[in-house]
Short mmCIF file of all heavy atoms in Angstrom, two decimals:
data_model
loop_
_atom_site.label_atom_id
_atom_site.label_comp_id
_atom_site.label_asym_id
_atom_site.label_seq_id
_atom_site.Cartn_x
_atom_site.Cartn_y
_atom_site.Cartn_z
N ARG A 1 116.36 -34.44 43.40
CA ARG A 1 117.23 -33.25 43.25
C ARG A 1 116.37 -32.08 43.67
O ARG A 1 116.95 -31.00 44.04
CB ARG A 1 117.67 -33.08 41.85
CG ARG A 1 118.66 -34.12 41.38
CD ARG A 1 119.21 -33.82 40.04
NE ARG A 1 120.16 -34.84 39.56
CZ ARG A 1 120.86 -34.85 38.47
NH1 ARG A 1 120.69 -33.80 37.63
NH2 ARG A 1 121.77 -35.82 38.15
N GLY A 2 115.12 -32.10 43.49
CA GLY A 2 114.20 -30.99 43.73
C GLY A 2 114.08 -30.19 42.40
O GLY A 2 115.06 -29.75 41.80
N ASN A 3 112.78 -29.94 41.98
CA ASN A 3 112.50 -29.30 40.71
C ASN A 3 111.71 -28.06 40.99
O ASN A 3 110.58 -28.09 41.62
CB ASN A 3 111.82 -30.31 39.76
CG ASN A 3 111.50 -29.76 38.36
OD1 ASN A 3 110.54 -28.91 38.26
ND2 ASN A 3 112.33 -30.05 37.36
N ALA A 4 112.22 -26.91 40.40
CA ALA A 4 111.50 -25.68 40.76
C ALA A 4 110.07 -25.70 40.21
O ALA A 4 109.11 -25.19 40.90
CB ALA A 4 112.26 -24.50 40.10
N ALA A 5 109.88 -26.16 38.99
CA ALA A 5 108.54 -26.20 38.41
C ALA A 5 107.60 -27.07 39.22
O ALA A 5 106.45 -26.66 39.49
CB ALA A 5 108.65 -26.82 37.01
N ASN A 6 108.07 -28.23 39.78
CA ASN A 6 107.16 -28.99 40.67
C ASN A 6 106.86 -28.29 41.97
O ASN A 6 105.79 -28.42 42.49
CB ASN A 6 107.94 -30.33 41.00
CG ASN A 6 108.00 -31.29 39.79
OD1 ASN A 6 107.22 -31.11 38.76
ND2 ASN A 6 108.96 -32.25 39.81
N VAL A 7 107.92 -27.69 42.56
CA VAL A 7 107.65 -26.91 43.79
C VAL A 7 106.64 -25.79 43.59
O VAL A 7 105.71 -25.62 44.40
CB VAL A 7 108.95 -26.26 44.29
CG1 VAL A 7 108.74 -25.40 45.52
CG2 VAL A 7 109.97 -27.38 44.72
N ILE A 8 106.72 -25.09 42.43
CA ILE A 8 105.84 -24.00 42.08
C ILE A 8 104.34 -24.58 42.02
O ILE A 8 103.44 -23.98 42.57
CB ILE A 8 106.26 -23.23 40.86
CG1 ILE A 8 107.56 -22.42 41.14
CG2 ILE A 8 105.14 -22.25 40.36
CD1 ILE A 8 108.18 -21.90 39.81
N ARG A 9 104.25 -25.68 41.26
CA ARG A 9 102.93 -26.30 41.08
C ARG A 9 102.32 -26.73 42.43
O ARG A 9 101.13 -26.54 42.70
CB ARG A 9 102.98 -27.48 40.13
CG ARG A 9 102.97 -27.14 38.78
CD ARG A 9 102.70 -28.34 37.84
NE ARG A 9 103.81 -29.32 37.91
CZ ARG A 9 104.79 -29.26 37.14
NH1 ARG A 9 104.97 -28.40 36.14
NH2 ARG A 9 105.79 -30.20 37.24
N GLU A 10 103.18 -27.31 43.34
CA GLU A 10 102.70 -27.80 44.61
C GLU A 10 102.21 -26.54 45.43
O GLU A 10 101.20 -26.70 46.13
CB GLU A 10 103.77 -28.46 45.38
CG GLU A 10 104.17 -29.86 44.77
CD GLU A 10 105.38 -30.43 45.39
OE1 GLU A 10 105.93 -29.84 46.46
OE2 GLU A 10 105.87 -31.45 44.99
N ILE A 11 102.90 -25.52 45.52
CA ILE A 11 102.56 -24.30 46.32
C ILE A 11 101.29 -23.73 45.67
O ILE A 11 100.33 -23.33 46.46
CB ILE A 11 103.72 -23.25 46.31
CG1 ILE A 11 104.92 -23.84 46.99
CG2 ILE A 11 103.24 -21.97 46.94
CD1 ILE A 11 106.14 -22.96 46.86
N TRP A 12 101.15 -23.59 44.36
CA TRP A 12 99.97 -23.01 43.73
C TRP A 12 98.78 -23.86 44.04
O TRP A 12 97.73 -23.33 44.39
CB TRP A 12 100.19 -22.90 42.21
CG TRP A 12 99.05 -22.49 41.52
CD1 TRP A 12 98.16 -23.12 40.76
CD2 TRP A 12 98.67 -21.02 41.35
NE1 TRP A 12 97.12 -22.32 40.25
CE2 TRP A 12 97.48 -21.05 40.58
CE3 TRP A 12 99.23 -19.82 41.87
CZ2 TRP A 12 96.82 -19.84 40.25
CZ3 TRP A 12 98.48 -18.69 41.54
CH2 TRP A 12 97.34 -18.71 40.72
N HIS A 13 98.81 -25.14 43.77
CA HIS A 13 97.73 -26.02 44.11
C HIS A 13 97.23 -25.98 45.65
O HIS A 13 96.08 -26.15 45.87
CB HIS A 13 97.97 -27.43 43.68
CG HIS A 13 97.98 -27.63 42.13
ND1 HIS A 13 97.08 -27.07 41.29
CD2 HIS A 13 98.90 -28.17 41.34
CE1 HIS A 13 97.36 -27.29 40.04
NE2 HIS A 13 98.56 -28.02 40.07
N ALA A 14 98.19 -25.86 46.45
CA ALA A 14 97.87 -25.99 47.82
C ALA A 14 97.31 -24.61 48.40
O ALA A 14 96.41 -24.64 49.18
CB ALA A 14 99.15 -26.34 48.71
N SER A 15 97.93 -23.52 47.93
CA SER A 15 97.53 -22.27 48.65
C SER A 15 97.30 -21.05 47.57
O SER A 15 96.95 -19.99 48.06
CB SER A 15 98.64 -21.85 49.58
OG SER A 15 99.00 -22.95 50.46
N GLY A 16 97.51 -21.29 46.35
CA GLY A 16 97.33 -20.19 45.37
C GLY A 16 98.49 -19.17 45.53
O GLY A 16 99.57 -19.43 46.03
N VAL A 17 98.18 -17.93 45.11
CA VAL A 17 99.18 -16.87 45.18
C VAL A 17 99.68 -16.58 46.56
O VAL A 17 100.88 -16.43 46.82
CB VAL A 17 98.51 -15.55 44.64
CG1 VAL A 17 99.59 -14.38 44.81
CG2 VAL A 17 98.19 -15.75 43.12
N ARG A 18 98.83 -16.80 47.60
CA ARG A 18 99.18 -16.53 48.96
C ARG A 18 100.29 -17.53 49.43
O ARG A 18 101.03 -17.15 50.31
CB ARG A 18 98.06 -16.63 49.86
CG ARG A 18 97.04 -15.53 49.77
CD ARG A 18 95.93 -15.66 50.73
NE ARG A 18 96.38 -15.48 52.11
CZ ARG A 18 95.65 -15.62 53.21
NH1 ARG A 18 94.23 -15.96 53.03
NH2 ARG A 18 96.08 -15.54 54.33
N GLY A 19 100.34 -18.68 48.85
CA GLY A 19 101.29 -19.66 49.22
C GLY A 19 102.73 -19.20 49.01
O GLY A 19 103.65 -19.65 49.66
N PHE A 20 102.99 -18.32 47.98
CA PHE A 20 104.25 -17.80 47.67
C PHE A 20 104.81 -16.74 48.60
O PHE A 20 105.92 -16.32 48.55
CB PHE A 20 104.32 -17.30 46.19
CG PHE A 20 104.10 -18.37 45.22
CD1 PHE A 20 102.79 -18.60 44.68
CD2 PHE A 20 105.08 -19.18 44.66
CE1 PHE A 20 102.63 -19.62 43.72
CE2 PHE A 20 104.93 -20.15 43.79
CZ PHE A 20 103.69 -20.37 43.33
N PHE A 21 103.91 -16.40 49.51
CA PHE A 21 104.28 -15.34 50.49
C PHE A 21 104.10 -15.74 51.92
O PHE A 21 104.03 -14.92 52.81
CB PHE A 21 103.48 -14.02 50.17
CG PHE A 21 103.69 -13.42 48.88
CD1 PHE A 21 102.98 -13.79 47.73
CD2 PHE A 21 104.75 -12.45 48.69
CE1 PHE A 21 103.30 -13.25 46.42
CE2 PHE A 21 105.07 -12.04 47.52
CZ PHE A 21 104.27 -12.28 46.43
N VAL A 22 104.08 -17.07 52.08
CA VAL A 22 104.02 -17.61 53.46
C VAL A 22 105.27 -17.18 54.25
O VAL A 22 106.35 -17.37 53.85
CB VAL A 22 103.85 -19.11 53.49
CG1 VAL A 22 104.07 -19.64 54.86
CG2 VAL A 22 102.50 -19.59 52.90
N GLY A 23 105.06 -16.54 55.49
CA GLY A 23 106.16 -16.09 56.21
C GLY A 23 106.71 -14.73 55.91
O GLY A 23 107.63 -14.30 56.45
N LEU A 24 106.02 -13.98 54.90
CA LEU A 24 106.53 -12.72 54.56
C LEU A 24 106.36 -11.67 55.69
O LEU A 24 107.30 -10.80 55.79
CB LEU A 24 105.72 -12.21 53.33
CG LEU A 24 106.14 -10.83 52.86
CD1 LEU A 24 107.56 -10.72 52.39
CD2 LEU A 24 105.22 -10.38 51.64
N THR A 25 105.38 -11.81 56.50
CA THR A 25 105.24 -10.91 57.67
C THR A 25 106.46 -11.05 58.51
O THR A 25 107.06 -10.08 59.05
CB THR A 25 104.00 -11.16 58.45
OG1 THR A 25 102.87 -11.07 57.55
CG2 THR A 25 103.76 -10.20 59.59
N ILE A 26 106.84 -12.32 58.72
CA ILE A 26 108.10 -12.57 59.62
C ILE A 26 109.22 -11.93 58.84
O ILE A 26 110.23 -11.41 59.50
CB ILE A 26 108.28 -13.97 59.82
CG1 ILE A 26 107.06 -14.65 60.53
CG2 ILE A 26 109.51 -14.18 60.69
CD1 ILE A 26 107.21 -16.15 60.72
N GLY A 27 109.29 -12.01 57.54
CA GLY A 27 110.40 -11.57 56.79
C GLY A 27 110.48 -10.06 56.93
O GLY A 27 111.60 -9.54 57.11
N TYR A 28 109.38 -9.31 57.03
CA TYR A 28 109.42 -7.86 57.31
C TYR A 28 109.99 -7.59 58.66
O TYR A 28 110.77 -6.66 58.80
CB TYR A 28 108.07 -7.26 57.17
CG TYR A 28 107.52 -7.15 55.69
CD1 TYR A 28 106.13 -7.34 55.42
CD2 TYR A 28 108.38 -6.87 54.64
CE1 TYR A 28 105.72 -7.14 54.11
CE2 TYR A 28 107.87 -6.84 53.31
CZ TYR A 28 106.65 -6.97 53.10
OH TYR A 28 106.10 -6.83 51.79
N VAL A 29 109.45 -8.30 59.62
CA VAL A 29 109.83 -8.08 61.02
C VAL A 29 111.47 -8.37 61.16
O VAL A 29 112.07 -7.67 61.89
CB VAL A 29 109.12 -8.98 62.00
CG1 VAL A 29 109.62 -8.85 63.42
CG2 VAL A 29 107.69 -8.70 61.90
N LYS A 30 111.80 -9.35 60.32
CA LYS A 30 113.30 -9.66 60.40
C LYS A 30 114.15 -8.67 59.62
O LYS A 30 115.20 -8.18 60.10
CB LYS A 30 113.45 -11.03 59.78
CG LYS A 30 114.89 -11.46 59.50
CD LYS A 30 115.05 -12.64 58.56
CE LYS A 30 116.43 -12.71 58.02
NZ LYS A 30 116.55 -13.73 56.92
N VAL A 31 113.74 -8.28 58.38
CA VAL A 31 114.59 -7.49 57.49
C VAL A 31 114.73 -6.03 57.97
O VAL A 31 115.82 -5.41 57.65
CB VAL A 31 114.31 -7.54 56.05
CG1 VAL A 31 114.32 -8.94 55.56
CG2 VAL A 31 113.02 -6.87 55.77
N VAL A 32 113.71 -5.49 58.55
CA VAL A 32 113.76 -4.13 58.94
C VAL A 32 114.89 -3.87 59.84
O VAL A 32 115.73 -2.98 59.67
CB VAL A 32 112.38 -3.69 59.47
CG1 VAL A 32 112.59 -2.22 60.15
CG2 VAL A 32 111.31 -3.53 58.39
N PRO A 33 114.92 -4.46 61.05
CA PRO A 33 116.11 -4.27 61.99
C PRO A 33 117.39 -4.76 61.38
O PRO A 33 118.47 -4.06 61.59
CB PRO A 33 115.76 -5.04 63.18
CG PRO A 33 114.86 -6.11 62.79
CD PRO A 33 113.94 -5.50 61.75
N MET A 34 117.36 -5.85 60.54
CA MET A 34 118.63 -6.39 59.99
C MET A 34 119.19 -5.40 58.97
O MET A 34 120.40 -5.09 59.04
CB MET A 34 118.36 -7.73 59.25
CG MET A 34 119.62 -8.46 58.79
SD MET A 34 119.21 -9.94 57.87
CE MET A 34 118.72 -9.25 56.37
N PHE A 35 118.48 -4.93 58.07
CA PHE A 35 118.96 -4.01 57.12
C PHE A 35 119.19 -2.68 57.74
O PHE A 35 120.20 -2.02 57.31
CB PHE A 35 117.84 -3.74 55.97
CG PHE A 35 118.03 -4.71 54.84
CD1 PHE A 35 117.85 -6.06 54.98
CD2 PHE A 35 118.41 -4.24 53.55
CE1 PHE A 35 117.90 -6.87 53.86
CE2 PHE A 35 118.47 -5.04 52.49
CZ PHE A 35 118.30 -6.38 52.64
N ALA A 36 118.44 -2.22 58.75
CA ALA A 36 118.79 -0.97 59.37
C ALA A 36 120.08 -1.00 60.04
O ALA A 36 120.88 -0.08 59.84
CB ALA A 36 117.59 -0.69 60.47
N VAL A 37 120.32 -2.12 60.75
CA VAL A 37 121.60 -2.21 61.47
C VAL A 37 122.81 -2.41 60.46
O VAL A 37 123.88 -1.82 60.66
CB VAL A 37 121.60 -3.41 62.49
CG1 VAL A 37 122.98 -3.68 63.06
CG2 VAL A 37 120.64 -3.13 63.61
N SER A 38 122.69 -3.24 59.49
CA SER A 38 123.76 -3.50 58.50
C SER A 38 124.03 -2.27 57.67
O SER A 38 125.27 -1.93 57.58
CB SER A 38 123.39 -4.73 57.55
OG SER A 38 122.20 -4.43 56.85
#
């Protein structure tokens, strides 16, 4: 089913805090024009 607690542990052990923000730069590049236009 997928368990949130397990996913959080996997991300934390693999990459620490930075792991929760993988792809955030792309997120910024995406949301700025998307929110601006919408």
